[in-house]
Amino acid sequence: SAIQNTENSGFTEYISAIKKIIDITKVFIITGTPFHEPAGSCEVFKTLGAYVFDKNTFKVFDDFELVAIPEPRKYDYVTDSIEKTYELINNTIQNFIENLPVKTKPRIVMYHGEIKGAVFDNGMTASSPVALHKDLLLKTNADYIACGHIHYPQKVFDNCYYAGSC
């Protein structure tokens, strides 16, 4: 989330720790809601060499393919009604997934958002109007799906997990 760059905020220590990780391995960051990652707040990580995804992205690396599906920001999809906005968001993600290239290497999907049926730490199941269905994620043909947004660690289905924060 947004941290002020002050002596007491821990910002410099945080950046230093991330830089140490980047010096060892690739770091991939996917954005969530504007409340968690305000626009531009992850730019500093790009300057350190991290891969930051704030839009649906397909990227091929030497030894794997990466599909990044960040949490949609409603203000990028504004229409004349919230129902149409949700429909546009869902259609955009569905079209992105259905038009992914044929898999040629191991494929990792990073997704920030809800999956229908996933469970929150309060026991409620995910049912947002923009929650993805398992069947749509299966169309990515991923070897592993790493999910964020729900802070309760869980296996959603084979090869699809929320790491959680507990």
Side-chain angles (χ1 to χ4, degrees):
S1 65
I3 299 174
Q4 291 184 344
N5 187 4
T6 64
E7 186 175 348
N8 293 328
S9 72
F11 182 72
T12 54
E13 291 85 2
Y14 183 72
I15 296 300
S16 178
I18 296 296
K19 178 63 175 136
K20 287 178 183 176
I21 296 169
I22 291 170
D23 288 344
I24 298 168
T25 189
K26 292 179 177 91
V27 171
F28 302 93
I29 298 170
I30 189 166
T31 59
T33 68
F35 299 111
H36 291 324
E37 290 87 34
S41 65
C42 293
E43 293 300 308
V44 65
F45 301 111
K46 287 182 184 178
T47 67
L48 299 175
Y51 296 88
V52 178
F53 302 100
D54 59 2
K55 301 214 178 325
N56 295 336
T57 305
F58 174 77
K59 186 165 180 61
V60 178
F61 292 88
D62 289 339
D63 50 354
F64 70 98
E65 301 170 349
L66 180 72
V67 177
I69 308 169
E71 186 167 359
R73 295 172 183 244
K74 290 182 189 105
Y75 57 72
D76 287 335
Y77 298 90
V78 174
T79 65
D80 59 351
S81 74
I82 192 65
E83 292 80 15
K84 287 182 183 176
T85 297
Y86 290 146
E87 183 179 353
L88 179 59
I89 289 169
N90 290 326
N91 289 341
T92 300
I93 294 172
Q94 182 174 345
N95 288 336
F96 171 71
I97 289 173
E98 289 180 350
N99 288 294
L100 286 170
V102 172
K103 180 177 155 184
T104 61
K105 298 178 181 190
R107 183 173 284 180
I108 297 170
V109 171
M110 292 172 54
Y111 169 61
H112 192 134
E114 294 180 23
I115 299 171
K116 290 201 185 291
V119 179
F120 290 94
D121 55 357
N122 64 4
M124 300 293 291
T125 56
S127 61
S128 160
V130 293
L132 298 186
H133 288 275
K134 168 187 171 182
D135 293 343
L136 183 59
L137 285 169
L138 288 170
K139 288 182 180 182
T140 64
N141 199 21
D143 295 288
Y144 179 69
I145 303 171
C147 302
H149 182 73
I150 294 179
H151 297 188
Y152 183 70
Q154 63 196 282
K155 178 179 181 178
V156 184
F157 56 88
D158 289 342
N159 77 344
C160 179
Y161 298 85
Y162 281 98
S165 59
C166 320

